[in-house]
Amino acid sequence: MQEFIERIRRVVARHTGLAPEDIKIESPRDALNGDLAFPCFQLAKRQKQPPPAAAVKLGQAIAGELTNIAVVAAGPYLNFRIERSALALSVLGSISVKGAKYGGSSEGAGQTIVLDYSSPNIAKPMHVGHIRSTIIGAALQRLHAFLGYRTVGVNHLGDWGAQFGALVVAIRRWRETVELEKDPVAGLLELYQRSKKALDEDEEFKKEAVVAYQELESGKDGEVRALWRWVTEVSMRGFDATYARLGIQHDLVRGESFYEPLLEPTLQRVQAAGVTEVSQGALVVQLGEIDKGLAKTPCLLRQTNGTTLYATRDLAALFQRWEEFQFARCLYVVGAEQKLHFRQLKAVLARMGCEWASRVEHVDFGLLLGPGRVKLASRKGEVLVLDDLIDEIVAEARAIIAEKNPELPHPERIAEQVGLGAIVFNDLKRERIKDVVFDKAEILAFEGETGPYVQYTHARLGSILRKAPRENVAPDWARLEDAAPILLALGRFPGVVAAAAENCEPSELAQYLLALSRTISSWLAEHKVLDEDPPLRAVRLLLVQGSQVVLKNGLTLLGVGAPDEM
RNA sequence: GCGCCCGUAGCUCAGCUGGAUAGAGCAUCGGAUUUCUAAUCCGACGGUCCCAGGUUCGAGUCCUGGCGGGCGCGCCA
């Protein structure tokens, strides 16, 4: 597909004097107009003639130079129609050569992308609030890796802070009263909640908690440190089980504690740059000169009591990451509520003269809400544990499989893929910045614009391929005329992948997969594959195969399973 | 009060970074099944693209000002 566009660009460029990269080739809204189009408005202006005349003239000039591409002037547009067998040969040939790599590229070779995503707090189970960062971040990592970038996924665990002093004391005092053997995370959650209450009500407890946190901060390898380490371990074990279900693995697990030793050097570095000042007893960086909108919100790096802050830690992490990876982009997949924080961080870097500040991007996203736009919670009003939610959706998928396809082998595995597919796709199908209303009924329907719809289309193609006879017949490339919408869509896939990564918008890929599935399903309703004469069957089988590969590659990039049967 | 984001069909959202007659899903109504998987397909219904100006040959898309909603705003993360 890209080859046709490039050829058109080159020829148009030669005849107009425009630079090839300035020639915008778009696809007409109405397919009847052609496969590709070049609007001639600007060209007409340069040539001082009406757009339709410019289109006609350019059309006549280049018609002979584009083999396999018909050129038709229609009003102010110059439309192009790619000869069908050439299109089919090009697109399906490319897919069959590249297979699972179709859509990828090597544009990122030699460059590193650091992605900070998921980042749950330890001592608590992973709840639905973490799902967006986790799913979006993992999808962006796969997308960039597919384009040849070296990717480094970092899990910036919330494993530090005064609350761990309190938690340690709670463990010390009440470990016998809760279940810490079978399900340590649940037990810890209870202790954590009790410790929060005790901080308000029990002076003794509070004092002990402060002492414990001081010991933790001191780095002393004693009882407190051991308990904290244990909390980290059991929490991580719980997280890993969930990540495994989602097919996610970070490259680095570096919690806030990792950056503790780097805080003082970071502060010295910022101070040495001469951008800090003391305001109301706190160490701050004023940012108004860099960014007018930040005039009233300086970045605080050290509190009056001497302790550091969130921004200090993230700044330390940024310096460390820059020095270790020299990243082309450093993506923070964090909710939009924290926009100010990242804007401040970038402004601090800019004030310090770090020319790589623009490589740091806050990949923000909207809230996850329950029906009625209220905070999503369990029936009892508690935080909704992610695994419980997944279990519920998977159970429903299992029930639907039992009803619709009772003969299906491995129903358990497929139910997991379908249930997870529904959840993951639901999160990725709209623009990141939009709030996601988690409508369980809609997700459980498994129909319409959902992951299971795309999975189902993929499975139907698999079914055709399984039943195809093994025969060695030359495909008749001239007979895919009626499948042009599918071929054009398949040809667009690499461009969609590249744009989704560039814009950090997995939704662009998700929307593409929905549209492709719709196109394929419509075509399947009107055409037979197996029940045709051998040359037609052969070429349609290639179309089916190519379609299946693209659906699978796309779903895989999003983190959605692509079962062959369901 | 200040900063940022969002506003498109009854509901949830697309709209290829400014191009041809604004599209999907859900819901409602009607149709298609001796199925290469109906978790599907086809049709009907449904729009002052929040409002008002502006830029442009051309604006849902860009700019300004409103309106409505959300998020954030020094010692939390």
Side-chain angles (χ1 to χ4, degrees):
Chain A
M1 195 66 194
Q2 200 56 35
E3 63 170 279
F4 295 107
I5 295 175
E6 287 312 319
R7 271 169 56 202
I8 292 170
R9 278 219 179 92
R10 275 200 301 275
V11 172
V12 170
R14 197 158 60 236
H15 283 270
T16 59
L18 295 164
E21 58 272 20
D22 291 340
I23 295 167
K24 195 194 170 192
I25 301 295
E26 53 194 36
S27 28
R29 192 170 278 159
D30 188 340
L32 289 175
N33 282 320
D35 305 330
L36 298 166
F38 174 60
C40 298
F41 301 97
Q42 281 165 32
L43 175 69
K45 207 170 189 179
R46 286 164 58 113
Q47 298 180 341
K48 295 191 168 48
Q49 59 178 332
V56 168
K57 204 177 137 200
L58 181 60
Q60 282 167 350
I62 68 176
E65 296 184 34
L66 289 165
T67 46
N68 291 327
I69 300 175
V71 184
V72 179
Y77 293 88
L78 196 55
N79 293 322
F80 303 93
R81 187 174 189 281
I82 303 163
E83 201 273 312
R84 293 312 180 222
S85 52
L87 176 67
L89 212 50
S90 164
V91 172
L92 297 180
S94 182
I95 295 174
S96 105
V97 168
K98 293 183 179 157
K101 292 200 158 103
Y102 178 70
S105 73
S106 54
E107 68 164 64
Q111 300 187 68
T112 301
I113 312 277
V114 177
L115 302 99
D116 186 310
Y117 65 95
S118 195
S119 309
N121 298 322
I122 63 166
K124 290 189 251 183
M126 195 161 358
H127 60 88
V128 289
H130 295 111
I131 197 175
R132 299 214 70 198
S133 172
T134 306
I135 288 175
I136 295 169
L140 291 177
Q141 179 162 14
R142 280 185 225 96
L143 278 164
H144 280 96
F146 199 50
L147 296 172
Y149 293 91
R150 173 192 178 204
T151 59
V152 182
V154 186
N155 201 352
H156 192 85
L157 291 180
D159 65 354
W160 205 250
Q163 72 269 29
F164 292 105
L167 182 64
V168 163
V169 176
I171 296 172
R172 208 185 262 158
R173 287 196 183 183
W174 303 314
R175 71 201 313 167
E176 304 305 331
T177 67
V178 296
E179 175 58 63
L180 285 174
E181 295 289 320
K182 279 182 197 149
D183 189 352
V185 176
L188 281 175
L189 180 64
E190 198 185 325
L191 289 178
Y192 180 81
Q193 285 160 348
R194 267 210 249 172
S195 75
K196 272 173 77 176
K197 214 172 146 197
L199 280 177
D200 292 334
E201 297 169 356
D202 184 342
E203 273 305 314
E204 251 336 280
F205 184 94
K206 198 171 170 182
K207 275 185 204 156
E208 205 177 327
V210 169
V211 171
Y213 184 55
Q214 279 168 350
E215 182 179 332
L216 188 61
E217 273 197 307
S218 73
K220 182 183 161 194
D221 201 0
E223 182 224 7
V224 173
R225 192 105 194 157
L227 283 174
W228 170 81
R229 208 178 287 128
W230 176 76
V231 170
T232 306
E233 275 164 28
V234 297
S235 300
M236 213 43 229
R237 229 171 286 151
F239 298 155
D240 281 340
T242 308
Y243 290 141
R245 274 183 111 170
L246 291 164
I248 291 172
Q249 200 177 1
H250 287 87
D251 302 284
L252 295 173
V253 178
R254 285 182 180 169
E256 293 171 355
S257 59
F258 176 87
Y259 301 98
E260 276 306 297
L262 304 174
L263 292 177
E264 271 313 312
T266 298
L267 282 172
Q268 283 163 19
R269 183 169 178 167
V270 181
Q271 282 175 298
V275 300
T276 57
E277 56 192 76
V278 175
S279 164
Q280 296 165 36
L283 188 72
V284 306
V285 181
Q286 293 292 348
L287 303 167
E289 288 167 35
I290 295 284
D291 183 338
K292 268 183 257 166
L294 295 178
K296 290 176 184 164
T297 47
C299 183
L300 264 80
L301 293 178
R302 180 147 58 193
Q303 307 185 102
T304 312
N305 69 11
T307 58
T308 57
L309 287 135
Y310 184 39
T312 327
R313 226 162 305 191
D314 262 349
L315 215 47
L318 269 170
F319 288 134
Q320 195 279 330
R321 287 170 193 183
W322 172 247
E323 267 135 40
E324 185 170 359
F325 301 113
Q326 308 275 302
F327 47 74
R329 302 173 92 177
C330 180
L331 307 175
Y332 280 89
V333 187
V334 178
E337 325 70 272
Q338 296 191 32
K339 275 189 111 161
L340 177 62
H341 167 70
F342 288 102
R343 200 170 154 194
Q344 287 180 326
L345 281 186
K346 293 189 65 168
V348 170
L349 294 179
R351 262 207 80 180
M352 291 177 69
C354 302
E355 79 291 348
W356 47 273
S358 62
R359 300 183 185 199
V360 178
E361 298 172 51
H362 178 203
V363 179
D364 57 348
F365 53 82
L367 271 29
L368 182 71
L369 300 167
R373 300 194 55 85
V374 296
K375 201 174 170 205
L376 193 60
S378 71
R379 279 168 300 275
K380 286 185 237 161
E382 296 162 343
V383 288
L384 196 48
V385 175
L386 185 49
D387 270 303
D388 295 348
L389 176 81
I390 295 175
D391 287 342
E392 187 181 344
I393 308 284
V394 167
E396 183 65 23
R398 198 179 299 130
I400 290 183
I401 287 170
E403 176 202 329
K404 304 209 179 205
N405 199 349
E407 306 295 306
L408 184 70
H410 314 298
E412 204 53 40
R413 202 174 67 205
I414 307 299
E416 180 87 4
Q417 286 187 301
V418 171
L420 278 168
I423 294 171
V424 171
F425 199 90
N426 178 62
D427 218 288
L428 295 177
K429 74 177 174 186
R430 36 201 141 210
E431 260 188 310
R432 281 182 347 242
I433 198 63
K434 296 242 157 80
D435 291 344
V436 171
V437 176
F438 197 94
D439 184 341
K440 224 178 271 178
E442 192 187 315
I443 289 172
L444 289 173
F446 298 129
E447 59 178 40
E449 295 180 319
T450 64
Y453 171 66
V454 180
Q455 290 175 317
Y456 180 70
T457 310
H458 175 269
R460 286 177 69 191
L461 299 176
S463 175
I464 296 172
L465 293 173
R466 272 195 304 281
K467 290 173 181 164
R470 296 180 144 271
E471 57 185 355
N472 198 3
V473 179
D476 187 347
W477 292 102
R479 293 167 77 186
L480 282 181
E481 183 77 21
D482 49 40
I486 298 179
L487 292 170
L488 290 165
L490 297 179
R492 279 182 50 223
F493 182 61
V496 171
V497 170
E502 165 72 26
N503 300 332
C504 291
E505 270 295 0
S507 68
E508 292 178 15
L509 176 54
Q511 290 293 333
Y512 164 86
L513 291 176
L514 286 172
L516 175 61
S517 298
R518 234 178 273 130
T519 307
I520 292 170
S521 294
S522 296
W523 187 86
L524 284 175
E526 287 168 33
H527 301 86
K528 292 282 173 202
V529 175
L530 299 179
D531 196 21
E532 297 287 358
D533 62 272
L536 179 58
R537 175 166 58 215
V539 80
R540 284 190 175 170
L541 278 169
L542 287 171
L543 174 76
V544 167
Q545 203 158 38
S547 302
Q548 206 204 17
V549 166
V550 171
L551 287 178
K552 183 169 192 166
N553 291 0
L555 286 172
T556 305
L557 285 169
L558 294 180
V560 175
D564 277 310
E565 292 180 77
M566 64 185 269

